[in-house]
PDB file of all heavy atoms in Angstrom:
ATOM      1  N   THR A 209     -36.001  41.664  16.523  1.00 98.00           N
ATOM      2  CA  THR A 209     -36.762  41.399  17.638  1.00 98.00           C
ATOM      3  C   THR A 209     -36.012  40.918  18.936  1.00 98.00           C
ATOM      4  O   THR A 209     -34.902  40.727  18.768  1.00 98.00           O
ATOM      5  CB  THR A 209     -37.876  40.236  17.383  1.00 98.00           C
ATOM      6  OG1 THR A 209     -37.132  39.061  17.180  1.00 98.00           O
ATOM      7  CG2 THR A 209     -38.782  40.614  16.187  1.00 98.00           C
ATOM      8  N   ALA A 210     -36.662  40.654  20.092  1.00 98.00           N
ATOM      9  CA  ALA A 210     -36.017  39.998  21.172  1.00 98.00           C
ATOM     10  C   ALA A 210     -37.053  39.050  21.865  1.00 98.00           C
ATOM     11  O   ALA A 210     -38.112  39.531  21.946  1.00 98.00           O
ATOM     12  CB  ALA A 210     -35.534  41.065  22.198  1.00 98.00           C
ATOM     13  N   GLY A 211     -36.522  37.957  22.370  1.00 98.00           N
ATOM     14  CA  GLY A 211     -37.345  36.952  22.911  1.00 98.00           C
ATOM     15  C   GLY A 211     -38.464  37.440  23.952  1.00 98.00           C
ATOM     16  O   GLY A 211     -39.632  37.283  23.664  1.00 98.00           O
ATOM     17  N   HIS A 212     -38.014  38.094  24.976  1.00 98.00           N
ATOM     18  CA  HIS A 212     -38.906  38.429  26.034  1.00 98.00           C
ATOM     19  C   HIS A 212     -39.960  39.392  25.568  1.00 98.00           C
ATOM     20  O   HIS A 212     -41.059  39.519  26.139  1.00 98.00           O
ATOM     21  CB  HIS A 212     -38.144  39.114  27.188  1.00 98.00           C
ATOM     22  CG  HIS A 212     -39.009  39.336  28.443  1.00 98.00           C
ATOM     23  ND1 HIS A 212     -39.401  38.249  29.238  1.00 98.00           N
ATOM     24  CD2 HIS A 212     -39.578  40.401  28.995  1.00 98.00           C
ATOM     25  CE1 HIS A 212     -40.103  38.798  30.217  1.00 98.00           C
ATOM     26  NE2 HIS A 212     -40.236  40.052  30.153  1.00 98.00           N
ATOM     27  N   GLN A 213     -39.652  40.172  24.464  1.00 98.00           N
ATOM     28  CA  GLN A 213     -40.553  41.236  23.971  1.00 98.00           C
ATOM     29  C   GLN A 213     -41.599  40.662  23.030  1.00 98.00           C
ATOM     30  O   GLN A 213     -42.521  41.434  22.731  1.00 98.00           O
ATOM     31  CB  GLN A 213     -39.775  42.363  23.366  1.00 98.00           C
ATOM     32  CG  GLN A 213     -38.846  43.042  24.389  1.00 98.00           C
ATOM     33  CD  GLN A 213     -38.000  44.085  23.783  1.00 98.00           C
ATOM     34  OE1 GLN A 213     -36.908  43.849  23.238  1.00 98.00           O
ATOM     35  NE2 GLN A 213     -38.499  45.385  23.746  1.00 98.00           N
ATOM     36  N   ILE A 214     -41.436  39.489  22.571  1.00 98.00           N
ATOM     37  CA  ILE A 214     -42.520  38.938  21.739  1.00 98.00           C
ATOM     38  C   ILE A 214     -43.031  37.567  22.057  1.00 98.00           C
ATOM     39  O   ILE A 214     -44.144  37.229  21.667  1.00 98.00           O
ATOM     40  CB  ILE A 214     -42.006  38.961  20.265  1.00 98.00           C
ATOM     41  CG1 ILE A 214     -40.619  38.129  20.006  1.00 98.00           C
ATOM     42  CG2 ILE A 214     -41.755  40.381  19.680  1.00 98.00           C
ATOM     43  CD1 ILE A 214     -40.348  37.919  18.568  1.00 98.00           C
ATOM     44  N   GLU A 215     -42.097  36.659  22.628  1.00 98.00           N
ATOM     45  CA  GLU A 215     -42.495  35.270  22.792  1.00 98.00           C
ATOM     46  C   GLU A 215     -43.682  35.016  23.607  1.00 98.00           C
ATOM     47  O   GLU A 215     -44.666  34.254  23.330  1.00 98.00           O
ATOM     48  CB  GLU A 215     -41.286  34.482  23.371  1.00 98.00           C
ATOM     49  CG  GLU A 215     -40.166  34.298  22.364  1.00 98.00           C
ATOM     50  CD  GLU A 215     -39.074  33.604  23.080  1.00 98.00           C
ATOM     51  OE1 GLU A 215     -39.069  33.188  24.349  1.00 98.00           O
ATOM     52  OE2 GLU A 215     -38.004  33.301  22.397  1.00 98.00           O
ATOM     53  N   GLY A 216     -43.672  35.700  24.792  1.00 98.00           N
ATOM     54  CA  GLY A 216     -44.862  35.455  25.774  1.00 98.00           C
ATOM     55  C   GLY A 216     -44.465  34.299  26.729  1.00 98.00           C
ATOM     56  O   GLY A 216     -43.691  33.361  26.338  1.00 98.00           O
ATOM     57  N   ASP A 217     -45.006  34.372  27.954  1.00 98.00           N
ATOM     58  CA  ASP A 217     -44.784  33.313  28.934  1.00 98.00           C
ATOM     59  C   ASP A 217     -43.464  32.819  29.173  1.00 98.00           C
ATOM     60  O   ASP A 217     -43.036  31.763  29.256  1.00 98.00           O
ATOM     61  CB  ASP A 217     -45.628  32.062  28.500  1.00 98.00           C
ATOM     62  CG  ASP A 217     -47.095  32.241  28.553  1.00 98.00           C
ATOM     63  OD1 ASP A 217     -47.544  33.038  29.425  1.00 98.00           O
ATOM     64  OD2 ASP A 217     -47.816  31.694  27.719  1.00 98.00           O
ATOM     65  N   ASN A 218     -42.516  33.932  29.259  1.00 98.00           N
ATOM     66  CA  ASN A 218     -41.156  33.656  29.489  1.00 98.00           C
ATOM     67  C   ASN A 218     -40.886  33.534  31.079  1.00 98.00           C
ATOM     68  O   ASN A 218     -40.206  34.297  31.588  1.00 98.00           O
ATOM     69  CB  ASN A 218     -40.402  34.858  28.904  1.00 98.00           C
ATOM     70  CG  ASN A 218     -38.903  34.665  28.910  1.00 98.00           C
ATOM     71  OD1 ASN A 218     -38.403  33.463  29.031  1.00 98.00           O
ATOM     72  ND2 ASN A 218     -38.104  35.640  28.816  1.00 98.00           N
ATOM     73  N   VAL A 219     -41.559  32.519  31.609  1.00 98.00           N
ATOM     74  CA  VAL A 219     -41.876  32.540  33.069  1.00 98.00           C
ATOM     75  C   VAL A 219     -40.682  32.284  34.003  1.00 98.00           C
ATOM     76  O   VAL A 219     -40.665  32.572  35.125  1.00 98.00           O
ATOM     77  CB  VAL A 219     -42.940  31.425  33.347  1.00 98.00           C
ATOM     78  CG1 VAL A 219     -44.246  31.768  32.694  1.00 98.00           C
ATOM     79  CG2 VAL A 219     -42.530  30.048  32.925  1.00 98.00           C
ATOM     80  N   HIS A 220     -39.536  31.814  33.350  1.00 98.00           N
ATOM     81  CA  HIS A 220     -38.349  31.549  34.224  1.00 98.00           C
ATOM     82  C   HIS A 220     -37.417  32.687  34.140  1.00 98.00           C
ATOM     83  O   HIS A 220     -36.283  32.527  34.731  1.00 98.00           O
ATOM     84  CB  HIS A 220     -37.765  30.210  33.770  1.00 98.00           C
ATOM     85  CG  HIS A 220     -38.621  29.069  33.888  1.00 98.00           C
ATOM     86  ND1 HIS A 220     -38.975  28.604  35.151  1.00 98.00           N
ATOM     87  CD2 HIS A 220     -39.170  28.235  33.026  1.00 98.00           C
ATOM     88  CE1 HIS A 220     -39.795  27.498  34.955  1.00 98.00           C
ATOM     89  NE2 HIS A 220     -39.941  27.396  33.690  1.00 98.00           N
ATOM     90  N   SER A 221     -37.654  33.710  33.498  1.00 98.00           N
ATOM     91  CA  SER A 221     -36.713  34.880  33.385  1.00 98.00           C
ATOM     92  C   SER A 221     -36.825  35.709  34.543  1.00 98.00           C
ATOM     93  O   SER A 221     -37.935  35.916  35.203  1.00 98.00           O
ATOM     94  CB  SER A 221     -36.888  35.631  32.117  1.00 98.00           C
ATOM     95  OG  SER A 221     -37.992  36.533  32.240  1.00 98.00           O
ATOM     96  N   GLN A 222     -35.812  36.491  34.894  1.00 98.00           N
ATOM     97  CA  GLN A 222     -35.809  37.452  35.949  1.00 98.00           C
ATOM     98  C   GLN A 222     -36.766  38.584  35.716  1.00 98.00           C
ATOM     99  O   GLN A 222     -37.385  39.165  36.572  1.00 98.00           O
ATOM    100  CB  GLN A 222     -34.365  37.967  36.322  1.00 98.00           C
ATOM    101  CG  GLN A 222     -33.916  39.270  35.718  1.00 98.00           C
ATOM    102  CD  GLN A 222     -33.615  39.247  34.169  1.00 98.00           C
ATOM    103  OE1 GLN A 222     -34.006  38.323  33.371  1.00 98.00           O
ATOM    104  NE2 GLN A 222     -32.686  40.109  33.714  1.00 98.00           N
ATOM    105  N   ASN A 223     -36.989  38.962  34.408  1.00 98.00           N
ATOM    106  CA  ASN A 223     -37.941  40.021  34.168  1.00 98.00           C
ATOM    107  C   ASN A 223     -39.320  39.616  34.536  1.00 98.00           C
ATOM    108  O   ASN A 223     -40.133  40.387  35.102  1.00 98.00           O
ATOM    109  CB  ASN A 223     -37.784  40.517  32.750  1.00 98.00           C
ATOM    110  CG  ASN A 223     -36.767  41.534  32.523  1.00 98.00           C
ATOM    111  OD1 ASN A 223     -35.591  41.326  32.923  1.00 98.00           O
ATOM    112  ND2 ASN A 223     -37.148  42.726  32.035  1.00 98.00           N
ATOM    113  N   TYR A 224     -39.658  38.400  34.064  1.00 98.00           N
ATOM    114  CA  TYR A 224     -41.022  37.900  34.351  1.00 98.00           C
ATOM    115  C   TYR A 224     -41.262  37.910  35.874  1.00 98.00           C
ATOM    116  O   TYR A 224     -42.344  38.406  36.418  1.00 98.00           O
ATOM    117  CB  TYR A 224     -41.155  36.552  33.761  1.00 98.00           C
ATOM    118  CG  TYR A 224     -42.556  36.099  33.624  1.00 98.00           C
ATOM    119  CD1 TYR A 224     -43.287  36.158  32.487  1.00 98.00           C
ATOM    120  CD2 TYR A 224     -43.262  35.396  34.696  1.00 98.00           C
ATOM    121  CE1 TYR A 224     -44.659  35.798  32.390  1.00 98.00           C
ATOM    122  CE2 TYR A 224     -44.489  34.931  34.552  1.00 98.00           C
ATOM    123  CZ  TYR A 224     -45.226  35.173  33.413  1.00 98.00           C
ATOM    124  OH  TYR A 224     -46.483  34.809  33.247  1.00 98.00           O
ATOM    125  N   ALA A 225     -40.195  37.482  36.681  1.00 98.00           N
ATOM    126  CA  ALA A 225     -40.394  37.335  38.117  1.00 98.00           C
ATOM    127  C   ALA A 225     -40.635  38.816  38.657  1.00 98.00           C
ATOM    128  O   ALA A 225     -41.523  39.027  39.499  1.00 98.00           O
ATOM    129  CB  ALA A 225     -39.168  36.742  38.697  1.00 98.00           C
TER     130      ALA A 225
END
Side-chain angles (χ1 to χ4, degrees):
T209 63
H212 190 74
Q213 295 179 270
I214 58 169
E215 286 177 359
D217 294 328
N218 188 19
V219 296
H220 299 291
S221 80
Q222 98 280 26
N223 272 56
Y224 197 92

